[in-house]
Amino acid sequence: MSKIEQTLSIIKPDAVERSLENEIKEIFVTNGFSILKEKKIQIEKSEAEKFYKVHETKPFYNDLCEYLSSGPILVMVLEKENAVLGNRKLMGATNPKDAEEGTIRKKYGISIDKNSVHGSDSSDNAKSEIDFFFED
Ligand code: UDP
Ligand code: MG
């Protein structure tokens, strides 16, 4: 079943640093996503720790939070039918080496940690991630 959904997308520091925001936004729009909201921010490490709390027991957690807070990011709310899954497909696998041809991570990702984009992985997580950045 298809449903209009919203999902949270982040263009991560490695991509913002290379000025890839417009190219990546264009990919979303070309693939039928509407960008409902966007803001360019830099977050504190403590905020990254909250955002990635689900990963707090993982060995990469500290580096991940350091990294997400290391420079400006572009946070967006994307909307489309089945946006969560559609965005995950368009992003490609977490490790750019495993990402399929034509995906954002295949095209722009540098490594598993510098993989250029974040996308919510479920409808429930999308709601809480959107609230995290846009509810004030
Ligand atoms: N990550 C990492 N090392 C790993 C696994 C993940 O640095 O071994 C980072 C990577 O940037 C990834 C983020 O942690 O995007 C969150 O991991 P997750 O498994 O949720 O991947 P995603 O949902 O981003 O594909
Ligand atoms: Mg994830």
Side-chain angles (χ1 to χ4, degrees):
M1 230 193 30
S2 61
K3 54 183 181 304
I4 292 284
E5 255 185 346
Q6 295 178 2
T7 190
L8 186 88
S9 170
I10 303 177
I11 301 182
K12 292 181 174 182
D14 67 274
V16 173
E17 195 173 277
R18 287 175 286 155
S19 302
L20 294 170
E21 296 119 286
N22 286 341
E23 266 181 67
I24 293 174
K25 281 164 63 179
E26 189 59 35
I27 293 174
F28 287 127
V29 172
T30 302
N31 282 274
F33 290 90
S34 304
I35 301 171
L36 299 187
K37 295 181 184 177
E38 63 172 282
K39 61 179 177 184
K40 192 172 180 176
I41 52 174
Q42 182 162 2
I43 61 172
E44 299 290 337
K45 189 180 176 196
S46 59
E47 296 176 283
E49 287 167 350
K50 268 187 224 157
F51 182 73
Y52 274 130
K53 190 153 177 56
V54 57
H55 291 305
E56 71 183 331
T57 60
K58 308 273 172 64
F60 57 83
Y61 180 64
N62 185 61
D63 287 348
L64 173 61
C65 297
E66 284 279 0
Y67 168 65
L68 194 70
S69 57
S70 68
I73 56 176
L74 186 77
V75 188
M76 293 171 287
V77 178
L78 304 181
E79 186 176 81
K80 188 188 168 173
E81 278 195 5
N82 297 315
V84 171
L85 192 61
N87 181 39
R88 294 292 304 190
K89 279 195 172 157
L90 189 56
M91 285 163 56
T94 305
N95 190 339
K97 275 195 275 185
D98 302 329
E100 279 180 43
E101 213 57 60
T103 63
I104 294 171
R105 283 169 165 172
K106 174 73 178 185
K107 196 162 183 202
Y108 301 113
I110 296 168
S111 56
I112 191 163
D113 48 326
K114 297 186 173 179
N115 59 7
S116 303
V117 281
H118 166 85
S120 310
D121 64 2
S122 71
S123 197
D124 283 351
N125 285 341
K127 289 191 185 79
S128 52
E129 290 182 358
I130 289 168
D131 278 357
F132 184 90
F133 282 108
F134 290 99
E135 192 90 333
D136 30 35

